[in-house]
Amino acid sequence: MNYNTYMNLPQMLTPDIPVEKEDSGPSPQLNGHIHTPYSFSAFSEMKEAFVMARKENIIALGINDFYTTDGYDEFAGLALQFKVFPLFNIEFMALLKEEQQTGTKVNDPVNPGRTYLSGKGLRFPVQISKESRLRLEKLRVESNRQIVEMVARLNGFLASLKFGITFDAEEIRKKYARNLLRERHIASAFRIAAEANFPGEELRDFYTLVFQGKGIKSALSNSAALENEIRNNLLKAGGPAFVPEDENAFLSLEEVMTLIKDAGGIPCYPVLLDDAKGNFTDFEGDWPRMADLLEAMNIFMIELIPGRNDFQILKEFVRYFHSRGFVVTFGTEHNTPQLDPLTISCRGGVPLDEELTRI
């Protein structure tokens, strides 16, 4: 596909997209935030997301991978093939050092100071400066370095238990990843190796041993839940393969904002909102103050993943930020092994109402 074809994507896709009018009926379904196999994804291949989008009558889909635009070309080609409008986005983890020192949690429920930020509507084909390109490459290198060290520590731990299982980071990358390695790739490789080496109930005993006496909570058939347990018990803080993140693996919020704008994008704050127990992070607990702080940082766009939120809380929050003039978008992430629908819904499968869909 040549450059002119890419540049004409809006005109080529628009005929299938209904124009919203006051009396046009229900608003169209959109999903502005999915991860793809170019970072880590529930989708075995990118095409799977577009097949689902067509089946679910979703007219626009947004790629939102960590630290990379590598998937844009494939995403654009599939968007054209399936007549689903493509939204070109990216996601970063920034570090707010003052909040880290004061123990203030922003939009990471565990790590103070760590702050996720997305860039929405980047130029396509991608156009960024040499300096931004080098910054992106440095982030990927540092992120991969941490995962390689995790694999080494995991091998050492397994050797101490005298299991004949070892892993190679490059082999994991080739089998399960693209250019970017994530700890979820290790978890997938670990689960697959465990299932290949330990049949039946031996597998349950193996997990109990490597989890240092903790029995597994998930069914052996539930791959997604098992991989989450592997991450939590082996790769997270306190686990035998845990590797602390180096500050070199993060940009400052200002650096992330500069990079997003250089790529033609809009800085967008991803909101956690309420967890299953109704708790909020320090930053998100006071909505007027949160809005003031975001405006002070020149961020006027927010995004939610409604599947993790209570419907009523989500609606009150969205109404408030919409009234403050913020652009509000929704997505599903799909950055775990669990393959859920692309259609947006709230916690417990509660659907969005028409007001939320229109906003």
Side-chain angles (χ1 to χ4, degrees):
M1 201 178 304
N2 63 30
Y3 179 88
N4 288 330
T5 303
Y6 283 141
M7 295 305 288
N8 288 326
L9 272 173
Q11 292 86 346
M12 299 174 77
L13 289 167
T14 299
D16 263 10
I17 299 178
V19 177
E20 186 177 355
K21 298 178 182 178
E22 288 298 321
D23 59 351
S24 62
S27 298
Q29 295 294 314
L30 316 173
N31 187 325
H33 185 138
I34 64 164
H35 291 262
T36 78
Y38 285 87
S39 53
F40 183 91
S41 176
F43 307 112
S44 57
E45 56 179 355
M46 198 182 289
K47 182 178 179 180
E48 188 175 11
F50 286 91
V51 171
M52 289 175 61
R54 287 300 292 186
K55 285 182 179 177
E56 297 178 42
N57 296 314
I58 290 171
I59 66 163
L61 197 59
I63 185 172
N64 213 96
D65 287 322
F66 276 105
Y67 301 158
T68 184
T69 59
D70 289 350
Y72 280 20
D73 284 356
E74 183 180 358
F75 194 79
L78 287 165
L80 189 61
Q81 177 184 341
F82 284 89
K83 294 289 184 180
V84 174
F85 197 87
L87 308 171
F88 299 103
N89 314 313
I90 193 170
E91 189 164 5
F92 297 93
M93 284 185 287
L95 190 64
L96 302 180
K97 292 187 178 180
E98 184 177 336
E99 282 72 13
Q100 184 185 42
Q101 291 167 0
T102 59
T104 303
K105 293 173 184 174
V106 184
N107 57 1
D108 185 307
V110 178
N111 301 286
R114 186 187 295 178
T115 306
Y116 292 83
L117 196 72
S118 288
K120 298 294 182 179
L122 272 63
R123 284 187 293 264
F124 181 76
V126 178
Q127 299 172 53
I128 59 174
S129 66
K130 181 180 179 181
E131 183 180 359
S132 292
R133 199 173 294 278
L134 289 173
R135 278 181 173 171
L136 274 175
E137 183 56 32
K138 181 184 177 184
L139 284 173
R140 288 193 288 265
V141 167
E142 290 298 329
S143 179
N144 284 349
R145 183 201 59 77
Q146 181 201 18
I147 301 303
V148 169
E149 190 175 339
M150 276 188 177
V151 172
R153 292 195 183 187
L154 181 61
N155 285 336
F157 172 66
L158 292 172
S160 72
L161 297 176
K162 302 193 185 314
F163 286 118
I165 300 175
T166 59
F167 297 95
D168 179 87
E170 181 59 19
E171 186 177 341
I172 291 174
R173 188 193 67 78
K174 287 179 179 177
K175 279 188 176 181
Y176 306 109
R178 302 293 172 94
N179 292 332
L180 187 68
L181 270 172
R182 309 288 294 167
E183 64 181 40
R184 290 188 184 276
H185 293 124
I186 302 178
S188 291
F190 188 93
R191 175 187 60 79
I192 291 167
E195 290 170 356
N197 282 276
F198 298 94
E201 285 303 307
E202 287 184 36
L203 182 58
R204 190 176 296 277
D205 295 337
F206 168 75
Y207 281 124
T208 300
L209 186 57
V210 295
F211 292 171
Q212 301 173 82
K214 289 176 61 177
I216 61 169
K217 301 174 182 178
S218 311
L220 292 174
S221 58
N222 190 336
S223 299
L226 277 176
E227 289 179 21
N228 283 333
E229 289 199 50
I230 291 166
R231 290 177 67 223
N232 292 335
N233 285 285
L234 299 181
L235 309 178
K236 293 296 186 184
F242 172 69
V243 176
E245 290 167 315
D246 192 299
E247 284 193 10
N248 289 327
F250 295 92
L251 297 177
S252 69
L253 188 69
E254 293 75 16
E255 288 173 320
V256 171
M257 295 271 287
T258 298
L259 201 156
I260 289 170
K261 291 176 181 178
D262 178 49
I266 304 164
C268 176
Y269 175 83
V271 183
L272 272 181
L273 207 57
D274 60 306
D275 66 15
K277 296 180 180 179
N279 298 317
F280 298 82
T281 64
D282 306 304
F283 183 78
E284 296 182 3
D286 183 335
W287 298 349
R289 180 175 178 275
M290 176 184 172
D292 289 342
L293 289 171
L294 288 175
E295 288 174 351
M297 292 185 280
N298 289 315
I299 298 173
F300 301 95
M301 185 175 189
I302 61 172
E303 182 166 72
L304 296 106
I305 309 299
R308 60 193 179 202
N309 302 128
D310 174 80
F311 171 82
Q312 200 56 49
I313 293 174
L314 178 87
K315 183 156 184 172
E316 291 174 14
F317 179 86
V318 169
R319 276 179 166 174
Y320 176 77
F321 274 79
H322 184 59
S323 72
R324 288 283 299 256
F326 282 78
V327 176
V328 183
T329 61
F330 296 148
T332 54
E333 283 194 317
H334 277 82
N335 68 336
T336 74
Q338 183 68 39
L339 186 59
D340 293 321
L342 283 167
T343 302
I344 309 292
S345 62
C346 296
R347 186 187 298 134
V350 178
L352 302 181
D353 63 12
E354 179 58 22
E355 180 185 9
L356 286 171
T357 304
R358 182 169 286 119
I359 290 174

